[in-house]
Amino acid sequence: MNNSTPAAMSIDVEDWFQVQNLGIDPSLWDSQEKRVEGNVERMLELMHEHGVQCTCFVLGWIAQRHPETIRKIAQAGHEIASHGYNHELIYEISSKRFQADIKDTKALLEDLTGQEVIGYRAPCFSITDQAIDILQQEGYVYDSSSFPTLAHDRYGRLSGIEPNKVVQEIRPGFHEICVSCLNFCGKGLPWAGGGYFRLLPYALFKAGVKKILKNKQPYIFYIHPWEIDAGQPRIRGMGRQYTFRHYLNIDKCESRWSKLLGDFNWTTIAKLKEQVLSSEPNVS
């Protein structure tokens, strides 16, 4: 679909057992069945079929154990960005620990791929104002963690974020790329991916994306490799809410995502940022 307003595809590269909803202790991660390689391989195939470039926010833990998978992503022309190392919520760790996390992950990803890593996304969108200052100190130039939506039990918040503005300069030379919401009666409805994408009928979700683009708002979508993996291990004993969030329509997600790849023109978040800034020189 032709549209002069840019849309960016993003993938948060983590494995199924690293999702907070499942509650699997990080000390047990190495003993779990690894499925991220096969899932990423399938995603790369689908994006190649549709001629899509995306941004992959890679977990350092994954990169260290699956370096060839990360190199394949980079060699296919996708942007490599950071998702931190251990998938820890920012507001639950110290500033010193956070700084070491993002510094080490940036260096690891750059050594693996030869790409400069300039972007970051917080695990579970748990971004904070203090984290932005540390990200800028460590050489990042954008964050894509702000989700200006209704209350969520894990999302963080940033001060001074303007509503209905996707690309915002929140520090000199540092930009926030907000994850997409659909304006409904003055409220931001999540319209960017994840469980929301799996919950809604595809035709309705697609119509919402078209509406955002029609309103000249750049669009940011996100997904995880485990979301296209209906064969992943099932965890018993989770609460109803977390079970619903994680497994809802997971068997339909790959086909829905493939449709989405073909229905819109996609770019990376870094390229979207540059396109918006070049077309709107007064963006601040």
Side-chain angles (χ1 to χ4, degrees):
M1 177 178 294
N2 294 322
N3 194 302
S4 59
T5 306
M9 176 60 62
S10 64
I11 301 172
D12 294 353
V13 181
E14 57 198 53
D15 218 328
W16 66 273
F17 49 80
Q18 295 169 314
V19 180
Q20 257 77 7
N21 288 339
L22 301 188
I24 298 175
D25 192 279
S27 65
L28 302 176
W29 286 356
D30 272 316
S31 65
Q32 304 300 316
E33 179 185 350
K34 311 299 189 297
R35 299 180 66 87
V36 70
E37 286 187 349
N39 292 332
V40 168
E41 189 71 37
R42 179 60 179 149
M43 297 179 103
L44 290 175
E45 289 173 359
L46 289 171
M47 288 190 290
H48 178 72
E49 288 175 13
H50 293 286
V52 168
Q53 281 193 323
C54 82
T55 296
C56 286
F57 292 97
V58 179
L59 209 61
W61 192 97
I62 294 292
Q64 194 165 56
R65 288 159 177 81
H66 304 280
E68 287 307 314
T69 295
I70 309 311
R71 291 192 185 102
K72 282 182 182 178
I73 295 171
Q75 289 165 2
H78 304 291
E79 180 191 6
I80 298 294
S82 170
H83 199 32
Y85 189 88
N86 275 321
H87 212 263
E88 296 177 290
L89 304 182
I90 292 176
Y91 44 72
E92 292 184 351
I93 62 176
S94 68
S95 296
K96 183 177 181 181
R97 185 165 169 175
F98 174 70
Q99 186 158 16
D101 179 286
I102 62 167
K103 181 177 183 178
D104 292 347
T105 302
K106 188 176 193 293
L108 172 61
L109 295 174
E110 289 178 342
D111 286 346
L112 278 177
T113 67
Q115 284 190 22
E116 183 182 12
V117 172
I118 62 172
Y120 175 79
R121 175 170 290 155
C124 298
F125 305 101
S126 58
I127 196 63
T128 67
D129 289 324
Q130 189 174 25
I132 295 296
D133 297 327
I134 297 171
L135 284 165
Q136 190 170 29
Q137 290 172 24
E138 293 301 328
Y140 293 85
V141 302
Y142 79 80
D143 171 71
S144 184
S145 308
S146 181
F147 210 143
T149 182
L150 306 172
H152 187 281
D153 57 347
R154 295 197 183 102
Y155 294 173
R157 286 288 183 269
L158 293 177
S159 303
I161 293 293
E162 298 180 42
N164 303 317
K165 191 173 184 181
V166 176
V167 180
Q168 306 185 37
E169 189 176 31
I170 57 175
R171 303 287 189 277
F174 189 98
H175 290 81
E176 182 64 30
I177 317 297
C178 296
V179 185
S180 290
C181 293
L182 183 66
N183 191 303
F184 182 76
C185 297
K187 301 292 185 180
L189 296 182
W191 218 269
Y196 313 113
F197 178 61
R198 290 182 277 119
L199 170 66
L200 299 169
Y202 180 74
L204 177 60
F205 191 88
K206 177 182 174 181
V209 177
K210 291 175 70 174
K211 183 176 181 181
I212 291 170
L213 293 171
K214 187 176 180 180
N215 289 336
K216 303 301 181 183
Q217 288 292 324
Y219 179 71
I220 310 293
F221 182 86
Y222 75 94
I223 192 169
H224 306 86
W226 56 264
E227 289 187 274
I228 68 164
D229 182 10
Q232 66 187 268
R234 295 277 173 151
I235 301 299
R236 306 300 177 186
M238 293 164 51
R240 285 186 181 179
Q241 182 186 21
Y242 292 156
T243 299
F244 179 79
R245 284 188 196 178
H246 189 82
Y247 296 115
L248 175 69
N249 289 331
I250 208 163
D251 57 327
K252 302 175 182 176
C253 191
E254 179 181 322
S255 62
R256 289 184 179 183
W257 189 58
S258 183
K259 289 180 184 177
L260 190 73
L261 291 174
D263 282 342
F264 297 93
N265 292 328
W266 301 98
T267 188
T268 68
I269 291 181
K271 289 179 179 178
L272 177 144
K273 178 177 77 75
E274 293 308 313
Q275 184 175 337
V276 170
L277 295 180
S278 65
S279 64
E280 300 177 14
N282 294 319
V283 167
S284 62

